[in-house]
Amino acid sequence: YSNVKNNYTGTVHFSSTDLAAVLPNDYQFIGGDAGVHTFTAGVSFRTPGSQSVTASDTGVSASQTGITVNPGSLDHFTVTGITSPINAGATSDVVVTAYDAYSNIKTNYTGTIHFTSSDASAVLPNDYQFQGSDSGVHTFTTGVSMRTVGSQSVAAADSAITGSQTGITVNAGSLDHFTVTGITNPIAAGATSDVIVTAYDSYSNVKNNYTGTVHFSSTDLAAVLPTDYPFQGGRAGVH
């Protein structure tokens, strides 16, 4: 008859559609409760969406339904989608996603992110303020171009909150130029000397995967020069 049962002394158990929710422990009502008990700060949700909480005692139950749970405070980003391995100078998409502490996408994030990289020469997207329409995820199309050979990383940050993609393997770009060094100077006519040829890309990375053939010429038309030489992979761009 919808009277408050002020003499109820049974035990209630809590459950929720949010399986990650923190709920009160089972509680046995006491006479002093007079059928009503407040569980102070007793519920903490973890999963966004429409959730419910149910209290039950031996087949008798009731729920509060339609509880709208939004993502929590910004906790971290992920930075993904950068091609690896990638050649120096090539471009790649990069995807930044904002999350709360419970790994929910922070769909209401509208802060501004700033990009950095372990590759000081990398071309990165400009600072970007997320829009509501991003729903916490934004793709920067062809937004990243690495320049320095090695294992690199790209990070996105909003103040002290960060995320990064690490272990991006950057290989040398297309062949751009050689250096020719090592010849003794001055040198006597008829004397011999080593000569070192090094292949580079346009960003002055040694092109360690160069396997083309080099041909020598000289302003000294009578000079004795090495024959044409096909670089081998094991030379790592230097012979």
Side-chain angles (χ1 to χ4, degrees), residues 4-12 26-39 57:
V4 174
K5 187 164 174 57
N6 51 21
N7 59 351
Y8 173 64
T9 55
T11 299
V12 293
D26 291 359
Y27 176 75
Q28 184 174 5
F29 274 63
I30 60 175
D33 288 322
V36 181
H37 186 79
T38 299
F39 297 84
D57 176 3

Side-chain angles (χ1 to χ4, degrees), residues 125-145:
N126 294 328
D127 290 1
Y128 176 75
Q129 182 174 6
F130 272 63
Q131 308 298 309
S133 57
D134 288 320
S135 296
V137 183
H138 189 78
T139 299
F140 299 84
T141 305
T142 64
V144 169
S145 178

Side-chain angles (χ1 to χ4, degrees), residues 80-175:
T80 59
I82 301 173
T83 302
S84 180
I86 188 171
N87 290 336
T91 60
S92 175
D93 293 354
V94 57
V95 182
V96 178
T97 307
Y99 291 88
D100 68 12
Y102 308 106
S103 294
N104 300 304
I105 295 176
K106 188 164 173 59
T107 53
N108 56 356
Y109 174 65
T110 54
T112 299
I113 59 170
H114 173 73
F115 286 90
T116 57
S117 176
S118 59
D119 179 354
S121 299
V123 177
L124 302 171
N126 294 328
D127 290 1
Y128 176 75
Q129 182 174 6
F130 272 63
Q131 308 298 309
S133 57
D134 288 320
S135 296
V137 183
H138 189 78
T139 299
F140 299 84
T141 305
T142 64
V144 169
S145 178
M146 312 302 283
R147 295 289 189 265
T148 306
V149 167
S151 180
Q152 305 291 357
S153 63
V154 171
D158 179 352
S159 299
I161 298 170
T162 65
S164 62
Q165 181 175 342
T166 61
I168 303 163
T169 299
V170 183
N171 295 323
S174 300
L175 179 66

